Amino acid sequence: MSNLISAVAWVKRGVAVQHPEKYVLDDKELERVSALARIELEDARIELERAHLAAQEMDKREEDEEGDDNAEEDDEDDWVDEDDDAMDVDSGAAPKPKAEDDLAEYNLDDYDNDEPTTAVGPFSNIKGLTYYKDNEEDPYITLKDEDDDEREELEVLPTDNLIVVAKTEDEISQLEIYVYDESQENLYAHHDLMLPNFPLCLEWLDFPPASSSSHAQHGPHANGFGNYIAVGTLDPEIEIWSLDVLEAMYPSSILGRPDETKAHVPVPSGTGKKKKKKPKHREAQSAYHVGAVLGLSWNRHQRNLLASASADRTVKLWDLSRDPTVNGEGGEAAGAIRSFDVHKGEVQAVKWNNLEPTVLLTGSFDRTVRTFDSRAPTTGVGAIVGSDVEALCWDPWESYSFYVSLENGLVLNFDARTLPSNLEQPSPARFTVSAHDGPASSIDVNPHMRGCIVTGGADKLVKVWNVDEEGDKRNVSLVTSRDLGVGKVFSTVFSPDDPLTLAAAGSKAKLQIWDVGSTFGARKAFGAKLRAAGKELKEKEEGKGGVIGVQSDDEESDADEDE
């Protein structure tokens, strides 16, 4: 499996705790993990030990790589100067024994006799000692405690953004959490979390799941809020991790039934001797997914609700306040509270409407999009789009408007009020943009100002578009386009805090932050809109800055050679 970043999610400033806690593995946590994974306690202990060993192996690999770089310096420190005067001894002659009379000068016979002496020096009297409350106040101690150094390194300031990256490298999948300081244009890795399978989608939420461990809800988030990331993978389960807990080996919650789905091995429908056949689809279940989770969306108004889209052709609604470890029937069951069968193919994406909190938008590989009220899904409307859906999103400025990006490179905009309930009727888009050569893998609408969208595609380009309204017409123009060096672009997301800052990542397993405002064209196109929205446009010198990333070892070595 090649190295890549499949999804990116921002965390708003001031949400993360300033000093994250370390994961605590005690008997209570083992019981929680055992119940969450629906396995025996001893199996949970073994599983956690394996996760711990895997994390240690990764850390050891990184340390070995760093050790190889410093090996030459260490060898130089170990050399001994053979020409030192202290070692200038004739190897051919034996050392002469000392005569007994030579010891007389030390007066060893009177060694045990105590004699009064006059105390001198700063420590001759207890009054000469000065006590300090801690090592920080002692001027003679210049080295800080290791715990203090680590605490300072892991500190997250209220002015910092967190960026969560779903990354797969060397067949190992993990979440990498970065800290981005916009004022200093600084981006660095903070910590990471191991994942059980290839990640496909991310969704940030602030609602603490019912099954999360107690130590994850201490501090400023004890008031019912939190800092969590939901992850959809090739597994049918949805994992929810706390971003304020370091070195966690197990998620805060798991939505689904690991005991029912992870043990399943697909069986081919034929013998395989003449012609290979695809394995049969598992029969869909109403309480949990049986296929990969392709899309996630958190309801920001009903904060306990999470929607998921799956390869099992269903969309499911989860209540995060319900304990997922509870068994039972009907209202006592801990599975999904609703399951929607509105598509005939794999459901690629799902989004809640932030202006209409009960309305869902879905897109599928059956080449259709659907929008419906989650309370009455049979009364929804939809449209045929002519190609597989790659991504979709609502327009935060119009409750009825949404965008769809397709595998053929097109981006469509629809007005939900004009769509038919019967897909056999025509459903033309308000406007169509030929955005990319190849699949338009990602799309996002700027939450800070009207009419600004970003798209990313398999042609390795990130493009920013301006949509101007003239009555009922929409004029779409390309503002700026750039190859950010992330390979095929899989994710483009606007910052929740900076109007013209976005994150992009793709097939090169590289994260880049692009300040679009550093280009003259963007400032000219969006300056008036930003001022109308009450946002400040920071003037920057043309060609200075703009793209911020984490420099790799290869890039550093290349830069040294150029110098």
Side-chain angles (χ1 to χ4, degrees), residues 16 76 84 98 103 113-115 142 180 219 230 247 276 323 349 373 403 426 432 445 471:
E76 291 179 0
D84 197 329
K98 273 193 174 184
L103 300 177
N113 297 333
D114 295 333
E115 294 184 4
T142 58
Y180 174 58
E247 301 176 3
K276 291 184 179 180
D323 189 345
D373 193 309
Y403 291 87
T432 301
V445 182

Side-chain angles (χ1 to χ4, degrees), residues 494-513:
F494 278 110
S495 165
D497 297 292
D498 298 313
L500 286 176
T501 299
L502 60 88
S507 61
K508 287 189 177 181
K510 187 176 183 181
L511 171 68
Q512 295 280 44
I513 308 299

Side-chain angles (χ1 to χ4, degrees), residues 363-369 383-390 404-410 412 438-440:
S364 170
F365 288 164
D366 63 6
R367 300 187 174 186
T368 66
V369 290
I384 298 175
V385 293
S387 185
D388 290 348
V389 173
E390 289 285 333
V404 183
S405 66
L406 305 177
E407 188 183 26
N408 58 12
L410 297 181
L412 310 179

Side-chain angles (χ1 to χ4, degrees), residues 188-220:
Y188 62 91
H190 189 266
H191 67 282
D192 53 59
L193 301 167
M194 297 283 291
L195 293 177
N197 210 333
F198 183 83
L200 300 171
C201 55
L202 298 174
E203 180 74 352
W204 179 84
L205 58 146
D206 72 13
F207 189 86
S211 57
S212 58
S213 56
S214 58
H215 69 271
Q217 299 183 28
H218 292 166

Side-chain angles (χ1 to χ4, degrees), residues 68-89:
D68 292 340
D69 296 336
N70 299 328
E72 295 181 2
E73 298 178 6
D74 295 340
D75 291 342
E76 291 179 0
D77 295 339
D78 293 338
W79 283 105
V80 177
D81 189 357
E82 295 181 356
D83 295 331
D84 197 329
D85 293 340
M87 301 296 292
D88 190 10
V89 178

Side-chain angles (χ1 to χ4, degrees), residues 130 187 208 316 319 329 342 420 422 425 428 480 559:
T130 302
L187 177 69
K316 286 183 169 46
D319 184 352
E329 298 293 337
V342 295
N422 185 358
Q425 298 179 11
T480 183

Side-chain angles (χ1 to χ4, degrees), residues 47 58 91 101 154 162 350 386 391 423 445 447 470 477 498 507:
E47 185 173 335
M58 289 186 63
S91 59
D101 294 342
L154 297 175
L162 292 186
V350 59
L423 293 184
V445 182
E470 294 182 2
S477 59
D498 298 313
S507 61

Side-chain angles (χ1 to χ4, degrees), residues 189-448:
H190 189 266
H191 67 282
D192 53 59
L193 301 167
M194 297 283 291
L195 293 177
N197 210 333
F198 183 83
L200 300 171
C201 55
L202 298 174
E203 180 74 352
W204 179 84
L205 58 146
D206 72 13
F207 189 86
S211 57
S212 58
S213 56
S214 58
H215 69 271
Q217 299 183 28
H218 292 166
H221 296 327
N223 56 2
F225 289 82
N227 182 20
Y228 296 87
I229 194 77
V231 188
T233 69
L234 288 176
D235 286 336
E237 292 76 38
I238 302 166
E239 295 192 346
I240 301 177
W241 295 80
S242 172
L243 297 177
D244 293 329
V245 177
L246 304 176
E247 301 176 3
M249 290 183 285
Y250 215 77
S252 298
S253 183
I254 297 178
L255 306 180
R257 287 295 300 265
D259 56 330
E260 297 287 344
T261 57
K262 286 188 176 180
H264 170 72
V265 178
V267 179
S269 56
T271 61
K273 293 181 179 179
K274 294 183 178 180
K275 183 180 180 181
K276 291 184 179 180
K277 294 184 178 181
K278 293 182 179 179
K280 293 181 179 179
H281 284 285
R282 291 193 66 191
E283 183 179 352
Q285 301 290 328
S286 60
Y288 54 88
H289 286 302
V290 295
V293 178
L294 306 179
L296 292 167
S297 183
W298 172 58
N299 194 315
R300 285 164 170 74
H301 297 273
Q302 299 291 331
R303 295 173 41 249
N304 61 312
L305 296 182
L306 180 72
S308 60
S310 173
D312 64 9
R313 305 178 181 181
T314 68
V315 175
K316 286 183 169 46
L317 191 58
W318 307 86
D319 184 352
L320 301 176
S321 63
R322 302 173 69 183
D323 189 345
T325 64
V326 175
N327 291 314
E329 298 293 337
E332 297 180 357
I337 58 176
R338 294 293 300 273
S339 182
F340 307 113
D341 301 313
V342 295
H343 289 284
K344 297 179 181 179
E346 293 88 344
V347 188
Q348 169 71 1
V350 59
K351 291 292 180 183
W352 287 105
N353 188 329
N354 288 332
L355 301 178
E356 297 287 344
T358 62
V359 176
L360 279 168
L361 172 66
T362 61
S364 170
F365 288 164
D366 63 6
R367 300 187 174 186
T368 66
V369 290
R370 295 275 190 169
T371 178
F372 57 91
D373 193 309
S374 57
R375 299 168 296 184
T378 58
T379 60
V381 297
I384 298 175
V385 293
S387 185
D388 290 348
V389 173
E390 289 285 333
L392 47 75
C393 62
W394 288 100
D395 189 335
W397 304 95
E398 294 179 335
S399 63
Y400 49 83
S401 175
F402 63 87
Y403 291 87
V404 183
S405 66
L406 305 177
E407 188 183 26
N408 58 12
L410 297 181
V411 171
L412 310 179
N413 176 267
F414 288 95
D415 184 340
R417 299 172 299 179
T418 65
L419 296 180
S421 58
N422 185 358
L423 293 184
E424 294 180 358
Q425 298 179 11
S427 51
R430 286 204 294 183
F431 62 83
T432 301
V433 180
S434 181
H436 294 275
D437 295 330
S441 308
S442 64
I443 186 170
D444 193 26
V445 182
N446 197 309
H448 303 284

